[in-house]
Amino acid sequence: MLLDSPYREEIIETVFEKSNFCFVVVDNQGMLTYLNDNYCEFIDVEKEEAIGKHVEDVIENTRMHIVVKTGKEEIADIQYIRGNYMIANRVPLYANGKIVGAVGTVLYRDTKEWMKMNSHIKDLLLEIEQYRKKLINQSGAIYSLHDIVGSSDQLNKVKEKIKKVSSGDVSVLLKGDSGTGKELFAHSIHHLSERSAKPFIKINCAAIPEELLESELFGYVEGAFTGAVKGGKLGKFQLADGGTLFLDEIGDMPLNAQVKILRVLQEGEVEAIGSEKVQKVDVRIIAATNQPLEQLIEENRFRKDLFYRINVVQIKIPPLRDRSEDIRVIANYLLGKITRRSGKRVLDFDESVKEFFLQYQWPGNVRELENVIESAVHLTNSDTIKLEDLPEQMQATPFILKQGTSLKEIMNRTEKQAIEQALKKVNNDRTKAAKLLGVGKSSFYEKLKKYGL
């Protein structure tokens, strides 16, 4: 046995340091506890700087922290690192029946052999992408569950519910605040359904003028009204026949249009404007709203019978403020997406920015987070986004905090932030920074020690 071997240390060193594998170990919080030299060289980091950081901040597209959370091993998984596709294995570590961390390996043995395999993988993925684009062109649905980033319990429950309801034909009502990504979930339901090869048609009920909404939904025949297109026009229901119709912001739909939609759902028939014929349609409805429809019903602004038709299965999308554990991974994902699009080299967020992201309430949810990061990417002059790179309106109110945060925590964070900004202004001259803040020198040094600055 290895434990009894007189060459135990030599064996371990050979396996972890002298093989052609990349090894990584994390603890039960996803913090790096070990990286072998091969891995450090491969991702171009210093071991001393990497150890102790969260694995997401060091390794691109890692899932080590997820394996720690789920306890499920992931073998021969494709991982995209530094422009290439690698084969990664991730195995949870158990001690006394509890998960204490995870071990990961990345294989890239012979460079020539790997480049050949990597080219083959890229070729296969490009082929898959071509098929995916064809399906998108055919159906109109772009996103799938894989495009919804995050691994919080709340989000995972939503994903599981979507997997359960997608295969059927029941109507689904997606409820959630603005910016939570309701459209992405609608696309995902269509992708997982039996209708995935058929059209996915979207209409934003709030964006179309009331006088045009009926013609958009049901279409019209030639000569139906002044300005009608020659040959007529198909409505969204006809275009979605056999597939899925996504009614976004359905709470803003006028009452007269609600009546006609209800008839289509009850009878399965559409009558275009100006036509005397009805057309049979087979459409699955997915609706979305950020409004309380039950309250709109009480105010006679939404029909109760339509509500019951679209509310067969209701799925609530959790706001970002209720799943703060997803913020880090979403921010990293969005930073990569935005920098690839803009061509600007921005690699990371300053620790103060990460802290700010975790404390901010995000009333605009993921959409607001993306806008903030995009703005910061264009404003920053370095490869790291700092607090001063964030939009001015956010800097003016630095901590819109979550419930349960004490006044002492708020004051400490604000004080630390003020000291950091003062030091930056005077190039870390502590005497000048103390004077700038109007604080005595001895008191200032105590605060520096307190905050580890």
Side-chain angles (χ1 to χ4, degrees):
M1 290 177 64
L2 180 59
L3 290 174
D4 300 327
S5 172
Y7 308 111
R8 180 175 178 273
E9 291 185 8
E10 289 80 359
I11 293 171
I12 291 174
E13 183 184 0
T14 299
V15 171
F16 284 92
E17 293 295 350
K18 295 185 178 180
S19 68
N20 285 330
F21 288 91
C22 293
F23 281 96
V24 58
V25 182
V26 299
D27 64 15
N28 60 359
Q29 299 299 315
M31 310 302 288
L32 279 168
T33 59
Y34 176 78
L35 268 177
N36 73 341
D37 292 339
N38 277 339
Y39 217 147
C40 290
E41 183 181 348
F42 178 50
I43 60 176
D44 193 23
V45 298
E46 295 293 329
K47 186 180 293 188
E48 294 74 18
E49 294 179 6
I51 300 300
K53 288 186 176 180
H54 195 276
V55 67
E56 288 181 279
D57 295 331
V58 178
I59 300 176
E60 184 181 2
N61 296 315
T62 183
R63 288 180 54 84
M64 292 291 290
H65 59 298
I66 296 173
V67 169
V68 169
K69 192 170 185 177
T70 63
K72 296 178 181 178
E73 66 177 28
E74 298 179 353
I75 304 299
D77 185 45
I78 295 177
Q79 184 176 346
Y80 187 76
I81 305 178
R82 296 179 66 81
N84 286 306
Y85 294 96
M86 302 296 164
I87 305 298
N89 294 330
R90 310 177 191 95
V91 181
L93 280 173
Y94 285 87
N96 299 321
K98 293 184 178 179
I99 295 177
V100 295
V103 176
T105 59
V106 170
L107 172 63
Y108 72 108
R109 297 178 82 165
D110 180 80
T111 307
K112 291 181 181 177
E113 180 184 338
W114 171 249
M115 291 308 293
K116 183 179 178 182
M117 183 165 65
N118 187 51
S119 297
H120 180 58
I121 292 172
K122 282 186 174 179
D123 185 52
L124 289 174
L125 289 174
L126 284 171
E127 188 176 348
I128 291 170
E129 184 61 22
Q130 291 300 317
Y131 285 120
R132 186 169 182 260
K133 285 180 180 178
K134 286 181 181 179
L135 283 173
I136 289 169
N137 292 334
Q138 289 174 9
S139 72
I142 302 170
Y143 306 104
S144 68
L145 278 182
H146 296 290
D147 296 301
I148 300 170
V149 179
S151 57
S152 63
D153 289 340
Q154 299 95 316
L155 189 63
N156 284 338
K157 286 177 183 176
V158 172
K159 288 182 177 180
E160 287 302 315
K161 194 170 184 179
I162 281 175
K163 289 176 185 177
K164 289 177 182 177
V165 304
S166 293
S167 59
D169 259 353
V170 294
S171 298
V172 178
L173 177 62
L174 300 171
K175 296 187 75 175
D177 296 351
S178 293
T180 49
K182 296 185 287 294
E183 184 176 344
L184 271 69
F185 288 96
H187 283 239
S188 301
I189 292 170
H190 178 77
H191 262 304
L192 292 171
S193 74
E194 299 297 322
R195 298 172 177 259
S196 59
K198 297 293 184 177
F200 176 89
I201 303 297
K202 172 194 170 183
I203 184 168
N204 189 322
C205 303
I208 298 173
E210 183 174 346
E211 61 272 16
L212 299 178
L213 186 59
E214 190 175 338
S215 63
E216 283 293 317
L217 285 168
F218 311 118
Y220 55 82
V221 297
E222 185 176 341
F225 49 83
T226 303
V229 176
K230 187 177 180 180
K233 180 183 175 183
L234 293 175
K236 300 296 185 183
F237 271 95
Q238 293 97 322
L239 292 171
D241 189 24
T244 303
L245 179 61
F246 177 44
L247 299 171
D248 198 11
E249 306 296 353
I250 195 171
D252 293 299
M253 180 176 285
L255 282 169
N256 64 329
Q258 291 179 32
V259 175
K260 296 185 177 182
I261 278 189
L262 182 63
R263 181 191 166 193
V264 176
L265 299 183
Q266 288 173 335
E267 308 295 335
E269 296 177 343
V270 174
E271 187 175 331
I273 297 174
S275 174
E276 297 179 356
K277 296 179 181 179
V278 295
Q279 178 185 344
K280 284 283 184 183
V281 288
D282 172 25
V283 172
R284 182 185 193 177
I285 295 293
I286 301 175
T289 184
N290 61 3
Q291 299 191 59
L293 295 185
E294 295 86 347
Q295 183 178 328
L296 296 184
I297 291 170
E298 292 179 6
E299 297 170 359
N300 294 319
R301 292 165 57 197
F302 199 86
R303 292 185 62 94
K304 185 186 291 186
D305 43 10
L306 178 58
F307 175 74
Y308 290 135
R309 280 280 176 180
I310 63 173
N311 191 43
V312 179
V313 174
Q314 185 177 125
I315 298 177
K316 293 183 179 179
I317 313 301
L320 199 54
R321 63 182 174 272
D322 290 346
R323 49 186 184 102
S324 57
E325 58 266 51
D326 286 337
I327 291 175
R328 182 194 295 266
V329 66
I330 294 173
N332 287 337
Y333 168 80
L334 291 173
L335 179 62
K337 171 185 167 185
I338 291 164
T339 52
R340 283 192 298 272
R341 188 171 63 215
S342 67
K344 207 171 174 191
R345 188 177 182 273
V346 182
L347 304 176
D348 202 358
F349 302 95
D350 187 78
E351 284 299 324
S352 60
V353 174
K354 294 176 185 178
E355 178 67 16
F356 174 81
F357 282 177
L358 290 173
Q359 295 302 325
Y360 187 66
Q361 284 280 57
W362 298 111
N365 294 287
V366 179
R367 186 185 297 127
E368 182 183 11
L369 176 59
E370 182 169 8
N371 290 341
V372 167
I373 294 172
E374 185 159 19
S375 171
V377 164
H378 286 92
L379 290 173
T380 189
N381 292 319
S382 72
D383 61 3
T384 301
I385 291 175
K386 299 179 175 62
L387 276 174
E388 55 263 34
D389 300 321
L390 300 183
E392 290 182 6
Q393 66 270 22
M394 299 188 82
Q395 294 183 44
T397 54
F399 287 113
I400 302 175
L401 295 163
K402 301 174 186 175
Q403 292 182 352
T405 305
S406 68
L407 179 60
K408 185 178 179 180
E409 287 177 309
I410 297 171
M411 292 176 69
N412 284 342
R413 288 190 182 114
T414 305
E415 186 175 60
K416 181 182 178 184
Q417 188 183 65
I419 293 171
E420 287 174 332
Q421 291 178 349
L423 286 167
K424 286 175 184 176
K425 284 184 179 179
V426 295
N427 294 319
N428 286 320
D429 187 318
R430 296 184 173 188
T431 303
K432 288 183 180 179
K435 189 176 181 180
L436 185 66
L437 292 169
V439 180
K441 192 174 180 181
S442 59
S443 175
F444 185 71
Y445 275 82
E446 286 177 10
K447 293 180 187 296
L448 291 176
K449 185 177 180 182
K450 175 182 177 181
Y451 298 120
L453 299 173

